[in-house]
């Protein structure tokens, strides 16, 4: 008698995915290749130095602008402080009034019947 295998006739054979990909051939890429990146034109050392100098000049202008903005901000803060200090006496009285109102509103009134039951 003959030995039978566990596989039936209808089951497909195993296909190696790597072998299948290789049989299709190389993939055509849409972007630049590594050789394109390596062969691209690059700046000379002198051009790099010039670019660095330009960046330093630009950062000086930015630093000056930031200093001006800081000075303007300090002036604005001083004006605001003066306004607050000139009206500080009246504001402290207002704060005390607000505290008193909060204390009064935080108290529970005994007129509620719910609290009398407890």
């Amino acid at each position: 008698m003959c030995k039978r295998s566990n596989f039936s006739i209808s089951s497909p054979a195993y296909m190696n995915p790597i072998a299948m990909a290789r049989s299709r051939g190389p993939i055509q890429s849409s972007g630049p290749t590594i050789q394109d990146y390596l062969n691209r034109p690059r700046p000379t050392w002198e051009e790099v130095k010039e670019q660095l100098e330009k960046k330093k000049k630009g950062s000086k202008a930015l630093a000056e602008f930031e200093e001006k903005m800081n000075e303007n901000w300090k002036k604005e803060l001083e004006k605001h402080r003066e306004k607050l200090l000139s009206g500080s006496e009246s504001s402290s009285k207002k704060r005390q009034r607000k505290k008193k109102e909060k204390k009064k509103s935080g108290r529970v009134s005994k007129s509620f019947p719910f609290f009398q039951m407890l």
Side-chain angles (χ1 to χ4, degrees), residues 93-105:
K93 291 179 183 177
K94 289 179 184 176
R95 288 180 194 156
Q96 290 175 355
R97 288 181 192 160
K98 286 182 182 179
K99 286 181 183 178
K100 288 181 182 178
E101 289 174 8
K102 285 183 182 178
K103 287 181 182 177
K104 287 181 182 178
S105 65

Side-chain angles (χ1 to χ4, degrees), residues 4-17:
R4 291 187 180 183
S5 65
N6 293 336
F7 296 107
S8 66
I9 297 172
S10 64
S11 67
Y14 174 75
M15 300 295 288
N16 186 348

Side-chain angles (χ1 to χ4, degrees), residues 17-117:
I18 297 172
M20 290 174 59
R22 286 183 182 161
S23 68
R24 287 187 215 127
I27 300 171
Q28 294 179 356
S29 64
S30 61
T33 63
I34 295 173
Q35 280 296 329
D36 294 338
Y37 279 114
L38 293 175
N39 293 332
R40 73 185 187 277
R42 291 187 285 280
T44 62
W45 183 241
E46 289 82 22
E47 292 172 350
V48 171
K49 286 182 182 179
E50 288 175 7
Q51 289 175 356
L52 289 173
E53 289 175 8
K54 286 181 183 178
K55 284 184 182 178
K56 287 180 183 177
K57 288 179 184 176
S59 63
K60 287 181 183 177
L62 179 63
E64 290 174 4
F65 174 75
E66 287 178 347
E67 286 177 19
K68 273 188 177 179
M69 293 301 290
N70 284 338
E71 289 174 7
N72 292 340
W73 179 247
K74 286 179 184 177
K75 289 177 184 176
E76 193 174 319
L77 282 177
E78 288 175 11
K79 288 179 184 177
H80 187 66
R81 285 180 190 144
E82 288 175 5
K83 285 182 183 178
L84 289 177
L85 292 175
S86 64
S88 64
E89 294 176 9
S90 61
S91 64
S92 63
K93 291 179 183 177
K94 289 179 184 176
R95 288 180 194 156
Q96 290 175 355
R97 288 181 192 160
K98 286 182 182 179
K99 286 181 183 178
K100 288 181 182 178
E101 289 174 8
K102 285 183 182 178
K103 287 181 182 177
K104 287 181 182 178
S105 65
R107 295 179 187 160
V108 178
S109 175
K110 293 182 181 179
S111 63
F112 290 113
F114 176 74
F115 293 113
Q116 291 176 356
M117 287 183 212

